[in-house]
């Protein structure tokens, strides 16, 4: 029952703390890059640990491809850090204990009676300006994107918006003239 997750919509520029309590805005983390944003179910979930381990190689590609990766979790800073170190992740993890993104997108997982904060995991590809380009719903593990699916989707996004990034594109050349 999600909402506000339509292609072309802009997500809110939430300001959330990382595992050290340092606040970050999603817009600042994205900068002028494309952002892959994972809205996590929570630290308690073994599928989250497996998915984040799979993102390790993908993150290495992101670092050379004008792409940022951020995970938002409905957990406190301690549990955010626990998932981050248990998977070996080095990208930014944020804590959303107030569930502001979960509530905005209406992605609360109603079937989990033990973790009332749990969210239905979603992975979003956002072009600059926090604009939604692709949405994956990972309630079932197989709904989560593989690194190769993200690669293909990012290739399509960059092909469409590359004039903003490509210094040889006509629009960029005109700006320099």
């Amino acid at each position: 029952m999600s909402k506000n997750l339509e292609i072309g919509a802009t997500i809110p520029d939430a300001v959330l703390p990382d595992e050290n309590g340092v606040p970050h805005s999603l817009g600042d983390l994205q900068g002028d890059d494309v952002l892959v944003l994972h809205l996590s179910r929570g630290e308690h979930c073994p599928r989250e640990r497996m998915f984040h381990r799979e993102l390790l190689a993908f993150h290495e590609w992101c670092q050379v491809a004008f792409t940022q990766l951020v995970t938002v979790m409905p957990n406190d800073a301690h549990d955010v850090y626990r998932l981050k170190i248990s998977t070996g992740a080095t990208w930014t993890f944020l804590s959303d204990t107030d569930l502001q993104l979960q509530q905005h997108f209406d992605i609360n997982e109603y079937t989990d009676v033990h973790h009332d904060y749990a969210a239905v995991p979603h992975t979003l590809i956002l072009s600059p300006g926090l604009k939604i380009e692709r949405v994956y719903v990972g309630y079932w593990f197989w709904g989560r994107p593989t690194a190769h699916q993200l690669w293909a989707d990012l290739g399509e996004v960059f092909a469409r918006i590359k004039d903003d990034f490509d210094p040889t594109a006509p629009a960029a050349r005109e700006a320099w003239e």
Side-chain angles (χ1 to χ4, degrees), residues 16-137:
L16 301 168
D18 63 18
E19 71 275 5
N20 296 310
V22 178
H24 300 273
S25 88
L26 293 176
D28 286 345
L29 290 170
Q30 180 181 38
D32 293 329
D33 294 338
V34 171
L35 173 64
V36 176
L37 178 66
H38 179 62
L39 304 170
S40 172
R41 183 166 182 257
E43 189 276 333
H44 67 280
C45 181
R47 292 178 295 280
E48 285 297 332
R49 285 187 289 283
M50 178 61 74
F51 181 64
H52 281 85
R53 283 193 294 269
E54 289 298 313
L55 288 175
L56 291 172
F58 174 74
H59 182 244
E60 290 182 28
W61 300 331
C62 290
Q63 294 177 26
V64 297
F66 306 103
T67 304
Q68 300 299 317
L69 177 59
V70 173
T71 294
V72 175
M73 298 176 60
N75 301 102
D76 64 23
H78 174 76
D79 284 342
V80 168
Y81 185 62
R82 202 161 73 174
L83 181 65
K84 186 173 181 175
I85 64 169
S86 71
T87 59
T90 58
W91 59 90
T92 303
F93 277 55
L94 300 174
S95 171
D96 186 7
T97 55
D98 293 335
L99 309 178
Q100 56 182 296
L101 289 176
Q102 184 184 118
Q103 291 169 3
H104 176 79
F105 295 124
D106 193 20
I107 57 173
N108 182 41
E109 185 181 325
Y110 300 102
T111 60
D112 189 337
V113 297
H114 301 291
H115 305 96
D116 62 353
Y117 57 80
V120 173
H122 285 68
T123 303
L124 313 176
I125 295 178
L126 306 170
S127 58
L130 301 174
K131 180 181 169 188
I132 299 173
E133 298 288 342
R134 182 77 162 94
V135 177
Y136 287 94
V137 181

